[in-house]
Amino acid sequence: MLGYRFMGRAHSNAIARLPMFFPDAPEIERHTLIGRDKEALAEAADQFGFAQTATDWEAVVEEVDVFYNLGPNHLHAEPSIAALEAGTPVLCEKPLAPTLETAERMRDAASEAGVPAGCAFNYRFLPAIQYAKQLIANGDLGTIQHVRGRYLQDWLVDPEAPWAWRMDSELAGSGALGDLGAHTVDLARFLGGDQTGDIERVSGHLETFVDERPVYDDEEAIEEYRPVTVDDAYTAQAEFANGAVGSFEASRVATGHKNDHTIEIHGTEGSLKFSLERLNELKLLTGDNRGYETILVTDETDPYVDHWWPPGHTIGWEHSFVHENYEFLSAVADGTEFSPSFDDAYDVQVILDAIERADDIGQWVDVREQ
Amino acid sequence: MLGYRFMGRAHSNAIARLPMFFPDAPEIERHTLIGRDKEALAEAADQFGFAQTATDWEAVVEEVDVFYNLGPNHLHAEPSIAALEAGTPVLCEKPLAPTLETAERMRDAASEAGVPAGCAFNYRFLPAIQYAKQLIANGDLGTIQHVRGRYLQDWLVDPEAPWAWRMDSELAGSGALGDLGAHTVDLARFLGGDQTGDIERVSGHLETFVDERPVYDDEEAIEEYRPVTVDDAYTAQAEFANGAVGSFEASRVATGHKNDHTIEIHGTEGSLKFSLERLNELKLLTGDNRGYETILVTDETDPYVDHWWPPGHTIGWEHSFVHENYEFLSAVADGTEFSPSFDDAYDVQVILDAIERADDIGQWVDVREQ
Amino acid sequence: MLGYRFMGRAHSNAIARLPMFFPDAPEIERHTLIGRDKEALAEAADQFGFAQTATDWEAVVEEVDVFYNLGPNHLHAEPSIAALEAGTPVLCEKPLAPTLETAERMRDAASEAGVPAGCAFNYRFLPAIQYAKQLIANGDLGTIQHVRGRYLQDWLVDPEAPWAWRMDSELAGSGALGDLGAHTVDLARFLGGDQTGDIERVSGHLETFVDERPVYDDEEAIEEYRPVTVDDAYTAQAEFANGAVGSFEASRVATGHKNDHTIEIHGTEGSLKFSLERLNELKLLTGDNRGYETILVTDETDPYVDHWWPPGHTIGWEHSFVHENYEFLSAVADGTEFSPSFDDAYDVQVILDAIERADDIGQWVDVREQ
Amino acid sequence: MLGYRFMGRAHSNAIARLPMFFPDAPEIERHTLIGRDKEALAEAADQFGFAQTATDWEAVVEEVDVFYNLGPNHLHAEPSIAALEAGTPVLCEKPLAPTLETAERMRDAASEAGVPAGCAFNYRFLPAIQYAKQLIANGDLGTIQHVRGRYLQDWLVDPEAPWAWRMDSELAGSGALGDLGAHTVDLARFLGGDQTGDIERVSGHLETFVDERPVYDDEEAIEEYRPVTVDDAYTAQAEFANGAVGSFEASRVATGHKNDHTIEIHGTEGSLKFSLERLNELKLLTGDNRGYETILVTDETDPYVDHWWPPGHTIGWEHSFVHENYEFLSAVADGTEFSPSFDDAYDVQVILDAIERADDIGQWVDVREQ
């Protein structure tokens, strides 16, 4: 596993929880944790239950049975491609890569390797989202005409919030668009599925409100200011193959919103709404109902829920990683396909790239034309 | 007063209620109700408290002290202009006109007349909106960075819902854009005010999901199908003068939403949300608060509320018309300015027109370039 | 009409609005407004549209066709009984009287008079409540097992809030119990109907948090303190004839709640919730639904709504009075029965009285034993 | 650890998660899992990570360093007392015992043992509850005047839902009262603390809607009906030492509510609301605010949150057990006190017992008189 911060912790936890709750998951040994800072790495390995550490990924990706790439975006490509070339299945954090060209190389490597190569769009694996997916696929919402997605956070609203790699276009690719919008576009595609077909045309708007941010030293004094070269916020309009109207938005400066990923879908027969801050709930309108039902998606019959607790005993954000790891590792063990694959992630990236180009040229962009 | 259906009723009711609740409003005589169908007109005049009826507006607009134009959009221009040329103040329903060119003629007529010419953007006059406006103008939200508005209805989700003049581009101009989007753009401009400056650039997307709709005869059998030549839904992206990011949307096919006009604004110091379906409430985040407060805007100190009932005794949609009529008729009586004026309404129309053009050409449009 | 303050205004407004929205309502002349302070009375009569005023009710109640008693609770009995003895129909504000004995006299007078005698429990006439009533009566909720009602306000949370007649047991009877609890008990009985049968046993708890309150002079200086001899809050437990469990509560010191009258009912087949602060909505769970639907009760098919506006155009608190006056005045004109009658109001009072006695003796009280 | 079903799983999981998220927690070896059904026990031990199993608790409670008693209520006393007599710290599920007399013996045993004896009122350990506790203790809500708690579930609304030990008064003590009401009373006392003082008087109402329930055989055919000898629902009124008014309720037949434990508190300076189905949130009104803030209690500065994920990344129901185990095991390791102790749990039981007696005799009961 490469990466031992936020995502390293989320996936290590997920793996550690499988035996108790998913007894049919393959047995997993947490083998080697990869990072650069030896001291921090050793501490993390100890805490996350890894037997070994390494500061160099090159040998590791050949040796292990599965490679997790949870590093910053600009480190997604080389180690993942090397792993795939060695026939090692890969689970890589999203977005796939800072540039479309790099994402394409990763997709091609996965295609040639013929082993599972997954991209960690974890929100697909929430019970409410899986349930929504089933309803839409069953046609319970009729013909989908509106897909609306927004992902609001506010951790950058303070102009003195510290600079980080996520604000650099070389390291991160884009800002809110790639970090948050990738999730939204993936969910929109996943939920819409065959009902909407894919996104065909987009218009884009990227905005950076704070052009440079401070780097702090150990005494929390400002050492220097570094430029912010990615977007703080984006909006996009979209048209799906079936004619459905899409609108997407994300922000890191939406005061008062911490992790508010909201998806709203309207069809001719029904509608639904989901918000990540209340991830156990689905607002659903179907059939002859007059208003949205507020459904607590915690019944035994709900996706994944029978592995956990009785009705009404809610799960948290991290459970999406447990489900994702269960599916990914089972796919590796069984030699079956895992979705979202690098193919899916590349398709997301094509759309993100089209949004950026649309913003650049001030025109709608046909997603398939590059 | 021209028009005796939905809007005729709303304004007649508003006027009738002034004496009891706004004793300082000018005394109003409901003089002449204008329409084409004599029988329906006579009945409406009786019910709405009008002394006379007329099927021809031409004489009336000169005779009366104030002319209300509440007819379909394509009837806004000629009677309003004639009234203004006769020096009669006009209150006209929104949007101002089906085309920008006509709207411009109306604005010019108002400018020359020098009497109050108001456009009935009634939502400005809700206590929660007035209160929000004060907070934003006071700087309580800091620098505004996001303005999000959407207006969702579902009365056209059934493809067999009957054809009406609102679906014809000649008579209505546009569909969801002009009918619903006009309100959103007006509120966005009103609330943003000097803090955001005006909308400068837009991108647009108009979509018609049902291309023709039935006309029913008296036995509710389908007589014929007529083409729908306006949008069922639109989305727009916008950039304000201060750099704030706007996103707007409306639909008449958003299953489960009846009259859901939602405005959300994020600033560097706070955020707010308003929804017309809960029009007595404002969700507000300011100062050191951590989450949105749900405020019932029904205190004596809230705008207009002291005219009504004690705290917690909510008002309805129609009260916005009472406040609007109070302000408009007071302006006429006092010879002061009324806002939203034809000028404001023209500026809204410029933006709506730009959204349509942006959709046509598939490009962002600079609002001031025509 | 006796009383020209809050309730005088609410009923005058309701009467004034009938012709435009309920054209089949009987024609009403606002005849005489009764009060003690001549100057204030004259002003109110002018504003409320009354032709005459009187400071003495005795002659008036014989002369008029209908008598509205909207004065303080201790003035409910004598004028109402006199009117009924003169054969004049009466609409009286709630609660019927400060004491059960007086309420009984009023009920008996109504019974002998044989003309409509109504008690103004206006919340029965909200569309959402009428709709809920239909659903329960239809058995859509199955066997009712829980009825929960609470009415929270906070206008007395400040210990320096001024003394008023509503805080004196002689003038008002009780405090939160009679003023707010009367509404709750009436709605519980109305909604439960034959499904629950009546309330049979109660336990009570009345509490006064502030024992005396200031009387202010014209310069807003404190003249004196007067004792508060009624409850600031009450709770009650109840058992219905069918075994359903009831729990009721009201407070005037529930910080942050302005007019929060909430009713929640659980049956074997469904549940519902209503809150007065969102009076256009009903939360409803029936059939195979998993969660509560949030229904905007503003469709044409909803009770009373076809008289007003299109779907999603909400009404306010005052509209309950329009519906109530429509029903009452129609009953008077048609010689039919009106409900809630003095009989109903007396039955409510029996329960309120039992709650007070239960509090006094610290025991459950059988409602029918006095 | 005695018990390997719902609670066994919840605590095993909690213990397993400590090393990764609470690195300063003592190291724990999951030693022996105790149960009767050898096969099920072996499987559970394997899944929960226990090294050994035992069908007899007697030897085990002396051997281990800490004893978890997670069995049915009637098995709480003997093993816990035996453990305490052997000087083994005990964590016991709630309610402490089926009868007050037994609870008293447990409390006394704990008192004599002088080792930590905790009762697993896990909801105390939710971040939102801890945060609420701090605010109340700081006086941010002023003088507390109302405490309202209700715990609604619906798993017994179907009369054919299977009989279980929780429906037998010998095995469980009481029904909704002991199972759900125990949590409510504990939270009310915990949150009220010194601000309210303890509950002094109560009135009670217990109701059983379904008198017998089926026992099913392996083919899901009904073998027999067994009597339900506990309450399906209870309500209680309460008076706190400071005069605050309490009202409590729980039900297992509240259709549509899965695990809806709601606490509402009103003070002279503020109010708060918490619902277990949205356990990451606190609705809070303090200071000059006008309405309730909806606070996502997921900031780094919130109790326990720094151990988990960044702001907005919500936790689930099970996390309350992790925090509880962290505190309990730390107290054992450090030799400090743990709260809620057997003392606290006994005090809760005294109140539950008083509610039952109050129901029996139809009178308010002074909690301290037995």
Side-chain angles (χ1 to χ4, degrees), chain B residues 13-278:
Chain B
N13 174 54
I15 293 168
R17 305 191 67 196
L18 286 175
M20 199 179 289
F21 294 92
F22 290 78
D24 64 327
E27 245 179 87
I28 306 296
E29 178 197 358
R30 277 162 274 170
H31 192 274
T32 302
L33 191 66
I34 307 167
R36 280 180 308 192
D37 177 338
K38 279 198 179 179
E39 201 177 335
L41 185 64
E43 197 184 333
D46 187 47
Q47 204 179 336
F48 298 170
F50 279 81
Q52 303 178 42
T53 64
T55 52
D56 190 343
W57 52 263
E58 278 163 4
V60 178
V61 300
E62 295 189 14
E63 190 186 353
V64 295
D65 295 330
V66 179
F67 173 58
Y68 278 57
N69 191 337
L70 316 175
N73 301 353
H74 70 288
L75 292 181
H76 286 177
E78 297 325 312
S80 296
I81 292 171
L84 289 167
E85 286 175 354
T88 307
V90 174
L91 186 66
C92 181
E93 264 305 322
K94 39 56 56 184
L96 208 48
T99 68
L100 186 57
E101 184 273 332
T102 314
E104 195 171 357
R105 285 174 43 224
M106 293 174 73
R107 180 199 62 176
D108 293 345
S111 167
E112 278 167 42
V115 295
C119 188
F121 288 113
N122 57 302
Y123 298 140
R124 287 195 185 196
F125 299 94
L126 288 165
I129 293 293
Q130 293 277 330
Y131 180 54
K133 166 76 177 171
Q134 289 169 13
L135 293 166
I136 293 168
N138 287 346
D140 289 3
L141 266 61
T143 302
I144 305 301
Q145 295 182 322
H146 286 280
V147 178
R148 196 178 301 116
R150 61 172 208 208
Y151 202 143
L152 304 182
Q153 300 186 337
D154 68 0
W155 57 289
L156 287 184
V157 76
D158 178 358
E160 298 299 293
W163 188 94
W165 69 263
R166 289 176 189 273
M167 294 150 213
D168 182 283
S169 66
E170 294 294 313
L171 305 179
S174 63
L177 177 63
D179 187 25
L180 307 178
H183 276 303
T184 308
V185 168
D186 181 64
L187 275 196
R189 295 180 73 245
F190 175 64
L191 291 171
D194 293 340
Q195 296 282 343
T196 56
D198 215 335
I199 292 166
E200 295 197 335
R201 293 195 316 133
V202 294
S203 170
H205 187 192
L206 277 68
E207 188 67 42
T208 307
F209 295 108
V210 178
D211 290 328
E212 55 177 24
R213 290 189 175 273
V215 176
Y216 293 91
D217 64 18
D218 292 346
E219 275 81 41
E220 303 206 2
I222 294 175
E223 277 185 337
E224 58 164 328
Y225 279 83
R226 287 198 201 151
V228 173
T229 52
V230 299
D231 53 297
D232 288 327
Y234 87 97
T235 63
Q237 298 171 283
E239 184 172 311
F240 288 80
N242 80 331
V245 169
S247 73
F248 305 125
E249 181 171 2
S251 178
R252 292 165 166 176
V253 301
T255 304
H257 297 254
K258 298 303 170 192
N259 204 22
D260 183 12
H261 191 195
T262 300
I263 300 282
E264 301 175 348
I265 295 177
H266 307 301
T268 50
E269 307 291 329
S271 290
L272 60 79
K273 304 186 208 177
F274 168 83
S275 167
L276 185 58
E277 291 185 353
R278 290 179 176 168

Side-chain angles (χ1 to χ4, degrees), chain A residues 148-152 174-188 199 202-209 230-238 246-253 261-263 348 351-356 358-359, chain B residues 145-146 148 237-238 245-247 364:
Chain A
R148 196 177 301 118
R150 59 171 210 210
Y151 202 142
L152 304 182
S174 61
L177 177 63
D179 186 27
L180 307 178
H183 276 303
T184 309
V185 168
D186 181 65
L187 274 196
I199 292 167
V202 295
S203 170
H205 186 191
L206 277 68
E207 187 67 42
T208 306
F209 295 109
V230 300
D231 53 295
D232 288 326
Y234 87 97
T235 64
Q237 298 171 284
S247 74
F248 304 125
E249 182 172 1
S251 178
R252 291 166 168 177
V253 299
H261 192 196
T262 299
I263 301 282
V348 168
I351 293 163
L352 301 182
D353 185 70
I355 291 170
E356 276 200 85
D359 175 55
Chain B
Q145 295 182 322
H146 286 280
R148 196 178 301 116
Q237 298 171 283
V245 169
S247 73
W364 282 77

Side-chain angles (χ1 to χ4, degrees), chain D residues 147-212:
Chain D
V147 178
R148 197 177 301 118
R150 60 172 209 209
Y151 201 143
L152 304 182
Q153 299 185 338
D154 69 0
W155 57 289
L156 287 185
V157 75
D158 178 358
E160 298 299 293
W163 188 93
W165 69 262
R166 289 175 189 273
M167 295 151 212
D168 183 282
S169 67
E170 294 294 313
L171 305 179
S174 62
L177 177 64
D179 187 26
L180 307 178
H183 276 304
T184 309
V185 169
D186 181 65
L187 275 195
R189 295 180 73 245
F190 175 64
L191 291 170
D194 293 339
Q195 296 283 342
T196 56
D198 214 333
I199 292 166
E200 295 198 333
R201 292 195 316 133
V202 294
S203 169
H205 186 191
L206 277 69
E207 187 67 44
T208 307
F209 294 109
V210 177
D211 290 328
E212 56 176 23

Side-chain angles (χ1 to χ4, degrees), chain D residues 266-287:
Chain D
H266 307 301
T268 50
E269 307 291 328
S271 290
L272 61 79
K273 304 186 209 176
F274 168 83
S275 166
L276 184 59
E277 290 185 353
R278 290 179 176 167
L279 61 83
N280 292 277
E281 297 181 16
L282 187 70
K283 306 255 184 196
L284 179 67
L285 172 62
T286 53

Side-chain angles (χ1 to χ4, degrees), chain D residues 333-354:
Chain D
D334 303 346
T336 54
E337 298 216 338
F338 174 76
S339 178
S341 65
F342 274 26
D343 251 16
D344 295 311
Y346 173 76
D347 289 343
V348 168
Q349 197 112 356
V350 166
I351 293 163
L352 301 182
D353 185 69

